[in-house]
Amino acid sequence: MTTFERDATSLRPPWPFTGRQDELELIRGSVAGGRHGIVVTGPAGRGKTRLVTEAVRGTDCARATGTPETRDLPFAAFAHLLPDTVSLHRAVQLLSGVRLLLVDDAHLLDDASAALVHQLAVHGRTRLLVVATEGARAPGAITRLWTGELLPRLDLEPLSREETAQLLAAGAGGLEALTVSRLHRLCQGDLRLLRELVGAVREQGLLSRVPDSGEWEWRGPVPVTATVRERLADLLDRADPGERATLDRLAFGEPLPVDADTLDLGALEVLEADGLVHIDDHGTASLAHPLHGPVLRSVAGRLRAGRLARIPSDRTAALETETAALARAIAETDVRAVPAPVGEWLVTEGIGIPAPHAAVRARFARLRGQLREAASWAREGLRTTPEDHPCHLELALSTAQSGEAGRVVAEGRDNLEPVAARVGGSGSVNRGGPSAADSGTPAAPSASAVDPGTPAAPSASAADSGTPAAPSASAVDPGTPTPPSSGAAAWWAAARGDLDAALEAVGAEPYDAVRLGAPERAVGRLTGVFAAHADALVQGDGPALDRAARTLEERGFLLFAAEAYAQAAQAHRDPGAARTSRTRSVALARRCQGARTPALAGLVLGELTARQRQIVTLAAAGLTNRQIAEKLTLSVRTVGNHLYGAYTRLGASDRDALPCLVELPEAQPA
């Protein structure tokens, strides 16, 4: 859905309304028919007002809004709907004829207006759509709307990274992956801040064109906008010299050990109590919000920044530690998230990173299915070393396996394929397992593995058990060049739709053959879950492919898992099991930043409707049909009908099968 509404604070129209389809349907359902309405809550800037405005667009809706300036004036929010002098009883009578009433910023209502809203909810003749900011002091008459169970409550969750990317694509357009990730990390779901930051970086000329991609990137300082100052007033106005010095020290060097010689412990205690500093289980301190450090660095001034900034040798040591940690995770075939803030900080500040670190970051992101981020990391490495082969290889691979490949081919651009041929041609390749540089799946590294994650022949124990040996020093050395391989050429052939040529180019990279649908070429040449994946595909064993996919997903290989589930969907003889595998494949593929590979190409799924997804998620969380009906203000029969339709589409037989088919939200404290 794409709609516009003029932003009162600027001459530009706001971004198109994007996402939140489930929430939009829930709100519309709650104010339709014989239902009484709903309360929408969430932190400031989460998009509550925009969402409810979209929900009532085109309806006959009266509107009232609370403001700080009128909290002491009786019925101030309803002055345009009521006569000058009116009692509460008369106000209820006058507004009972309104079919739909939207009350925005209800936490700012005066007591009389809050009581009026509460009485309207009690009488039930007027459907109410009430919006309140979470954490703000609200009149008791408003909070009792949901605590007294007069109206259901929808607490808006922050947009995910994928949803943020969709919003930025619709509203800003053309931002590269690291910029999207940076904005998502800084804003933490604050959509007002998100839009303001994007506008500020544009107006201040901080966006620059990414060569050969048509995208824009943001590097350098964070603009200290009005919203930033408002959100961080407690941080920026810190008057105590010790506390401010501690904040500045962390801004330029976090995380830092809690040590009397390094940080002021008394100031740390106060800052931790105020929620500005976080102390982890290892006794290291960091700023509580990702926005804090960039803003403090932006306002520090040149002299203070020069005094507090890490010296180059400190940065180098920290970066080497991060590179080794990422390489070790690749070598151990477990690419779940690894904290690596130093590299991110260097890139976002515009300082740049060495090509070896960039290549490992790109490979790690690609293995996780973050294909656009992988391409961005590779480009960062090529800034400092334009001829770096590992970075060229990662750029070629991530582009070839994504939707970008089709655009590149359609535009007739051939700047990446020659690179793929040059760095990915015939040469010295290992024969003992899949090459991390190409398929991304390392077996046991040894001293001859000159790339972190590009294995030599596995040892006997690793081959027998399927467990990779510990990486050697050379395996995690980020400065050693990658050996050439044919994987990049294979994936570009696949991107052109020429699978025969792709399989010819696979050569010695056995896991590439599995992913491209020719597992017989890999039999006996892989270990662990990758061998299990190959064997299951050779046998056409759908349940075994599902098991391999689950293991790959657990280890963070989301794209490989999506491909394995897609292959399982083709192998299953049971139509229900096939639908289940397709559902999981679609869910994972959505998280892989535009992945387009042969295994995913034939994926066809009659997906659930927004309402079915909502009901299935609640059922998977353990709610009964009656509880779901009460929560969503539906009839029990309607819930049952939706679940029956969802079971058919998902291939599930009952509730017990649902938790493995849906992504359940993490439990939140009451």
Side-chain angles (χ1 to χ4, degrees):
M1 174 176 294
T2 301
T3 56
F4 288 91
E5 178 178 296
R6 179 71 56 181
D7 186 346
T9 62
S10 74
L11 298 177
R12 299 173 304 199
W15 292 348
F17 181 84
T18 304
R20 299 280 195 203
Q21 292 303 310
D22 289 345
E23 293 92 338
L24 194 64
E25 185 178 342
L26 174 60
I27 293 171
R28 285 174 173 165
S30 298
V31 296
R35 302 184 181 99
H36 298 302
I38 192 170
V39 179
V40 180
T41 63
R46 185 138 306 171
K48 302 182 296 297
T49 299
R50 185 70 187 278
L51 174 63
V52 297
T53 300
E54 200 64 39
V56 301
R57 187 177 300 281
T59 65
D60 183 14
C61 175
R63 185 165 185 155
T65 303
T67 62
E69 295 80 10
T70 59
R71 292 190 77 158
D72 296 328
L73 302 177
F75 299 117
F78 293 90
H80 59 299
L81 299 174
L82 298 172
D84 291 341
T85 302
V86 66
S87 66
L88 176 60
H89 177 70
R90 180 58 178 157
V92 171
Q93 287 182 323
L94 290 171
L95 292 182
S96 291
V98 175
R99 296 184 61 186
L100 176 59
L101 176 62
L102 167 57
V103 184
D104 200 3
D105 286 336
H107 58 288
L108 297 176
L109 290 177
D110 60 90
D111 289 339
S113 294
L116 172 57
V117 172
H118 189 272
Q119 286 301 307
L120 289 171
V122 170
H123 283 254
R125 297 192 187 98
T126 299
R127 292 191 291 273
L128 295 170
L129 181 46
V130 182
V131 180
T133 295
E134 180 185 314
R137 183 177 64 87
I142 295 300
T143 59
R144 283 194 294 274
L145 290 175
W146 62 86
T147 59
E149 299 184 355
L150 288 171
L151 295 176
R153 176 187 178 189
L154 170 63
D155 190 15
L156 282 189
E157 296 293 327
L159 293 180
S160 67
R161 195 269 180 203
E162 290 76 22
E163 291 171 322
T164 302
Q166 293 173 8
L167 178 61
L168 288 169
L175 297 179
E176 57 90 43
L178 294 184
T179 298
V180 171
S181 294
R182 183 185 189 187
L183 287 165
H184 175 67
R185 188 168 59 250
L186 291 176
C187 296
Q188 300 280 289
D190 189 331
L191 302 186
R192 175 186 164 194
L193 177 60
L194 180 71
R195 186 181 181 205
E196 191 168 296
L197 278 181
V198 171
V201 297
R202 277 178 166 168
E203 292 165 5
Q204 296 181 23
L206 298 177
L207 286 175
S208 57
R209 178 78 70 175
V210 179
D212 298 324
S213 76
E215 295 180 327
W216 295 84
E217 65 183 10
W218 168 34
R219 306 290 185 263
V222 173
V224 184
T225 65
T227 302
V228 169
R229 285 197 171 276
E230 175 188 323
R231 298 287 189 269
L232 303 185
D234 191 38
L235 182 84
L236 296 174
D237 298 338
R238 214 71 183 180
D240 183 274
E243 294 170 14
R244 185 56 189 264
T246 300
L247 289 170
D248 285 341
R249 182 75 181 86
L250 287 170
F252 284 90
E254 65 177 337
L256 291 173
V258 178
D259 188 294
D261 296 331
T262 306
L263 297 170
D264 184 332
L265 295 183
L268 268 181
E269 290 179 2
V270 175
L271 294 169
E272 183 185 21
D274 290 346
L276 298 176
V277 166
H278 172 70
I279 311 296
D280 66 17
D281 295 336
H282 304 291
T284 57
S286 57
L287 295 168
H289 194 287
L291 190 60
H292 291 174
V295 170
L296 288 171
R297 292 193 294 271
S298 293
V299 302
R302 187 170 297 176
L303 291 177
R304 184 187 294 176
R307 175 172 57 83
L308 294 172
R310 279 179 168 171
I311 61 174
S313 60
D314 288 342
R315 290 204 301 259
T316 300
L319 198 63
E320 287 175 351
T321 299
E322 287 187 359
T323 308
L326 292 166
R328 188 175 301 108
I330 294 171
E332 293 172 352
T333 64
D334 188 337
V335 293
R336 284 170 285 194
V338 173
V342 177
E344 291 171 358
W345 179 77
L346 292 173
V347 167
T348 57
E349 293 294 316
I351 297 173
I353 55 174
H357 178 80
V360 174
R361 290 295 290 253
R363 185 171 305 115
F364 189 80
R366 177 168 56 81
L367 300 186
R368 287 171 54 78
Q370 298 167 336
L371 299 182
R372 293 195 179 101
E373 288 197 27
S376 293
W377 281 111
R379 290 190 186 100
E380 288 296 327
L382 294 174
R383 292 178 192 275
T384 55
T385 312
E387 296 303 319
D388 184 75
H389 279 197
C391 286
H392 275 298
L393 179 59
E394 290 301 328
L395 179 58
L397 281 166
S398 56
T399 305
Q401 295 177 33
S402 74
E404 284 294 292
R407 182 175 64 84
V408 171
V409 170
E411 292 175 357
R413 286 167 48 195
D414 57 1
N415 57 320
L416 285 174
E417 285 200 72
V419 168
R422 185 171 72 249
V423 301
S426 61
S428 172
V429 293
N430 93 86
R431 307 271 173 183
S435 165
D438 305 303
S439 69
T441 316
S446 68
S448 62
V450 295
D451 173 72
T454 304
S459 66
S461 60
D464 294 339
S465 67
T467 305
S472 65
S474 63
V476 296
D477 178 12
T480 314
T482 307
S485 92
S486 55
W491 285 105
W492 273 100
R496 293 195 308 272
D498 191 345
L499 283 181
D500 290 337
L503 288 171
E504 265 187 46
V506 164
E509 279 67 48
Y511 195 61
D512 277 351
V514 178
R515 296 178 63 196
L516 291 169
E520 63 280 354
R521 302 189 181 197
V523 172
R525 303 170 62 194
L526 297 170
T527 62
V529 64
F530 310 107
H533 183 181
D535 292 343
L537 191 56
V538 167
Q539 300 297 324
D541 188 336
L545 282 166
D546 283 337
R547 290 192 294 272
R550 281 194 293 272
T551 303
L552 288 166
E553 182 181 359
E554 289 167 1
R555 295 188 185 184
F557 295 100
L558 299 190
L559 178 53
F560 298 168
E563 292 172 333
Y565 275 123
Q567 292 165 340
Q570 299 295 321
H572 279 299
R573 293 180 176 84
D574 175 18
R579 285 192 293 270
T580 299
S581 297
R582 281 196 295 271
T583 300
R584 291 301 301 153
S585 183
V586 167
L588 290 173
R590 282 176 176 160
R591 298 163 60 186
C592 292
Q593 300 183 358
R596 297 288 187 275
T597 65
L600 301 178
L603 205 59
V604 178
L605 177 69
E607 295 187 59
L608 301 183
T609 66
R611 177 65 83 187
Q612 285 175 334
R613 287 197 303 273
Q614 188 178 41
I615 291 174
V616 163
T617 300
L618 293 172
L623 275 69
T624 66
N625 284 16
R626 182 166 297 280
Q627 288 171 323
I628 295 171
E630 292 173 353
K631 187 176 183 66
L632 302 184
T633 61
L634 300 172
S635 71
V636 176
R637 175 173 293 185
T638 298
V639 171
N641 289 339
H642 278 302
L643 276 175
Y644 179 79
Y647 290 156
T648 302
R649 294 192 181 202
L650 292 172
S653 57
D654 53 33
R655 265 179 163 75
D656 293 338
L658 293 180
C660 68
L661 300 179
V662 299
E663 298 287 344
L664 292 175
E666 293 183 7
Q668 300 295 323

